[in-house]
């Protein structure tokens, strides 16, 4: 279910804050979410050059408690869970028997026996079914979807602008590390992690919904005049595409496996067994699978999801994501194409409204942040 | 200078329900999208229009305007022969956002039938339309 019983869209705790900021709201994952406040390009630029603030409270948050979580999750996912140390976050993918993806997720190990699992908003109900279908002793699951908030601050100045308000020492929090801390002047503990979906440095704050507006306003009050911008899902999608990060439903689906999505690094074939392992092994060994390629359009015409892709005049696949890439200053996209067409340097054609336009296969990602 | 009404709707132009504006000069019409349209679409990154000499029919979909996220049809507010297109939009599509009634114009049409302008909205009617939407 993506809506409540009446079919109405759900609202995050920050709904009124978004309206007060002039956000344009759209339905996403069963929630009414801000797609943009001022301009996708301005918000994108804020994140690349300064920092942006995102409400991601629509994402699914599950808590996993108990001594059995590591082994249980290792059987359902491609990456390693039990080997994670307290204070560590790790990207992972829940797979089906065919090696396709139920969802891509992040596990946060808060301490020895307490974990947070964050799933995509659009998959939150499906994922709750996936995890509760596999009961195990020593694993206690709780669904906090919609009950807790998630605020992300992303961009090079995130650490400077966030540090005054949290007790944790952010400089000592490494990329993909997490910690329990407090926002100063609030009572309840929150989880903070150095994770994100923009290709920039940044932090995600998992907190009780009751604290969301206070924290959001606190961060904007002082920092907005310096250039912290509230950012919507429109900018977020462009930022993640430039950074080469997959979006579930586009680069990865129940049919498109993590191997095809270019996520071999996350698949640990040395794990004794996990759901979909045999199918992924067979796909890897055969090697002839269609895969995600990064495309840059040569002209001004944007590629869009679903457009047909051709190699040497023959149909070779289709666009899965496409947008203007402001940091690349070109139209960029991903395409699921035959293996020969996916090679870097391949010259392909994308059919747009009946006309074929040239595109070049380039290395992923399109954008890498400058080294500090 | 164009005089503006409330909501920034310039006087002296005609409008369509699909949020295009038309500026008549004899039997040649200049066409663009309104400020309301550009604001709704967001950052414009591409405009695709018919070629010079093409014949188009009033209210047909004859091209697209694309924002960062979305593709939208252009429904031409007037029909006739294309006698000019704004080539500057290839390199500066953002001028549709910054100056929709000026540098952000789309194309010029030599009208095949002047009476078709009766199917368009006056500034007052268009202002009413966007006030209600």
């Amino acid at each position: 279910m993506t809506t409540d019983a009446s079919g109405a869209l759900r609202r995050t705790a920050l709904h009124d804050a978004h309206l007060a900021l002039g956000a344009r709201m759209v339905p996403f994952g069963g929630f009414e979410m801000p797609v943009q406040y001022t301009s996708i390009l301005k918000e994108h630029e804020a994140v690349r050059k300064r920092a942006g603030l995102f409400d991601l409270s629509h994402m699914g948050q599950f808590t996993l408690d108990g001594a059995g979580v590591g082994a249980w999750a290792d059987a359902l996912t491609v990456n390693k869970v039990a080997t994670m140390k307290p204070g560590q976050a790790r990207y992972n993918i829940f797979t089906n028997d065919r090696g396709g993806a139920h969802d891509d997720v992040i596990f946060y190990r808060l301490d020895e026996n307490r974990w947070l699992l964050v799933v995509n908003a659009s998959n939150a109900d499906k994922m709750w079914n996936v995890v509760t279908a596999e009961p195990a002793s020593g694993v206690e699951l709780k669904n906090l979807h919609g009950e807790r908030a998630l605020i992300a601050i992303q961009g090079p100045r995130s650490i400077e602008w966030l540090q005054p308000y949290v007790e944790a020492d952010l400089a000592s929090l490494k990329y993909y590390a997490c910690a329990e801390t407090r926002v100063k002047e609030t009572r309840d503990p929150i989880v903070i992690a150095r994770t994100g979906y923009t290709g920039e440095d940044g932090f995600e704050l998992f907190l009780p919904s009751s604290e969301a507006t206070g924290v959001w306003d606190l961060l904007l009050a002082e920092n907005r005049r310096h250039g912290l911008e509230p950012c919507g899902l429109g900018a977020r999608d462009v930022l993640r595409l430039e950074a080469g990060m997959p979006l579930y439903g586009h680069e990865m689906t129940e049919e498109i496996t993590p191997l095809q999505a270019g996520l071999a690094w996350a698949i640990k074939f040395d794990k004794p067994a996990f759901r979909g392992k045999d199918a992924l092994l067979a796909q890897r060994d055969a090697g002839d699978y269609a895969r995600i390629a990064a495309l840059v359009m040569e002209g001004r015409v944007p590629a869009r999801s679903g457009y047909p892709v051709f190699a040497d005049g023959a149909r070779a696949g289709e666009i899965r994501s496409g947008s203007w890439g402001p940091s690349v200053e070109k139209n960029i996209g991903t395409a699921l194409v035959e293996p020969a067409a996916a090679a870097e340097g391949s010259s392909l054609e994308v059919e747009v409204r009946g006309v074929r336009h040239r595109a070049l296969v380039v290395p992923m990602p399109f954008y890498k942040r400058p080294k500090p | 200078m164009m005089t503006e009404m409330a909501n920034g709707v310039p006087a002296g132009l005609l409008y369509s329900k699909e949020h295009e504006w038309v500026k008549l000069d004899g039997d040649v019409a200049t066409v663009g999208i309104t400020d309301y349209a550009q604001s709704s679409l967001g950052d414009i990154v591409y405009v695709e229009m018919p070629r010079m000499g093409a014949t188009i029919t009033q209210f047909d979909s004859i091209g697209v305007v694309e924002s960062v996220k979305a593709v939208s049809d252009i429904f031409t507010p007037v029909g006739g022969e294309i006698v000019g297109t704004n080539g500057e939009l290839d390199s500066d599509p953002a001028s549709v956002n910054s100056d929709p009634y000026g540098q952000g114009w789309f194309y010029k049409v030599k009208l095949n039938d002047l009476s078709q302008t009766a199917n368009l909205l006056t500034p007052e009617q268009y202002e009413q339309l966007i006030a209600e939407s």
Side-chain angles (χ1 to χ4, degrees), chain A residues 110-324:
Chain A
L110 305 178
D111 63 29
E112 192 61 28
N113 291 325
R114 287 190 310 126
W115 309 66
L116 177 64
L117 174 64
V118 176
V119 306
N120 280 297
S122 53
N123 287 334
D125 297 319
K126 176 177 81 176
M127 284 305 296
W128 182 246
N129 290 335
V130 167
V131 297
T132 53
E134 300 293 332
S137 62
V139 181
E140 201 178 312
L141 303 164
K142 202 166 163 194
N143 188 350
L144 301 177
H145 188 214
E147 289 172 30
R148 287 181 57 94
L150 168 50
I151 294 173
I153 181 169
Q154 299 278 301
R157 299 188 69 176
S158 298
I159 189 165
E160 170 194 344
W161 287 346
L162 178 61
Q163 183 64 80
Y165 305 103
V166 294
E167 289 176 359
D169 173 29
L170 298 181
S172 66
L173 197 70
K174 294 194 170 60
Y175 185 55
Y176 266 75
C178 61
E180 284 181 284
T181 184
R182 278 169 208 281
V183 175
K184 288 169 188 167
E185 297 160 31
T186 65
R187 258 163 294 149
D188 290 316
I190 68 161
V191 173
I192 187 165
R194 202 161 189 165
T195 48
Y197 195 50
T198 60
E200 298 298 333
D201 188 19
F203 300 87
E204 295 183 306
L205 283 65
F206 305 88
L207 62 171
S209 289
S210 56
E211 306 275 18
T213 308
V215 171
W216 178 269
D217 290 345
L218 193 64
L219 290 174
L220 276 182
E222 174 63 24
N223 295 320
R224 201 166 184 211
R225 78 185 73 159
H226 302 300
L228 177 67
E229 292 281 345
C231 295
L233 297 182
R236 181 171 150 91
D237 187 43
V238 177
L239 289 157
R240 72 89 196 165
L241 178 61
E242 287 187 331
M245 295 168 155
L247 173 61
Y248 190 87
H250 290 256
E251 285 75 29
M252 210 181 341
T253 67
E254 295 280 349
E255 281 72 44
I256 305 173
T257 70
L259 259 187
Q260 294 178 280
L263 297 166
W265 63 269
I267 308 171
K268 307 304 180 197
F269 285 115
D270 62 337
K271 284 206 292 188
F274 60 86
R275 182 180 287 168
K277 181 181 178 181
D278 292 345
L280 288 169
L281 269 176
Q283 189 173 55
R284 183 191 71 174
D285 293 344
D288 59 349
Y289 51 88
R291 63 201 68 190
I292 293 291
L295 296 190
V296 168
M297 300 293 285
E298 282 188 2
R300 292 290 303 200
V301 186
R304 304 290 184 182
S305 188
Y307 287 180
V309 176
F310 296 83
D312 300 321
R315 180 76 189 256
E318 68 166 25
I319 298 292
R320 299 298 304 176
S321 291
S323 174
W324 171 250

Side-chain angles (χ1 to χ4, degrees), chain A residues 37-102:
Chain A
Y37 297 84
T38 54
S39 138
I40 290 175
L41 295 181
K42 276 186 199 157
E43 292 164 24
H44 167 280
E45 186 187 35
V47 173
R48 288 277 180 258
K49 296 194 171 154
R50 302 182 305 275
L53 199 63
F54 296 83
D55 176 15
L56 306 173
S57 305
H58 61 312
M59 296 195 73
Q61 299 185 39
F62 305 158
T63 57
L64 321 170
D65 292 339
V69 171
W72 167 83
D74 269 328
L76 299 176
T77 62
V78 299
N79 207 341
K80 290 183 179 174
V81 183
T83 58
M84 290 171 62
K85 295 183 174 66
Q88 221 181 348
R90 190 172 283 172
Y91 179 79
N92 208 335
I93 299 148
F94 279 81
T95 31
N96 61 36
D97 291 332
R98 294 165 286 123
H102 284 319

Side-chain angles (χ1 to χ4, degrees), chain A residues 297-303 307 331 352-353 357, chain B residues 45-46 48 66:
Chain A
M297 300 293 285
E298 282 188 2
R300 292 290 303 200
V301 186
Y307 287 180
N331 287 303
V352 184
R353 295 177 287 278
H357 299 267
Chain B
V45 297
Y46 179 67
E48 191 166 281
E66 301 202 25

Side-chain angles (χ1 to χ4, degrees), chain A residues 24 39 41 237 304 353, chain B residues 39-40 43 66-69:
Chain A
R24 182 171 306 156
S39 138
L41 295 181
D237 187 43
R304 304 290 184 182
R353 295 177 287 278
Chain B
S39 169
S40 305
D43 302 299
E66 301 202 25
S67 65
V68 177
K69 293 284 291 171

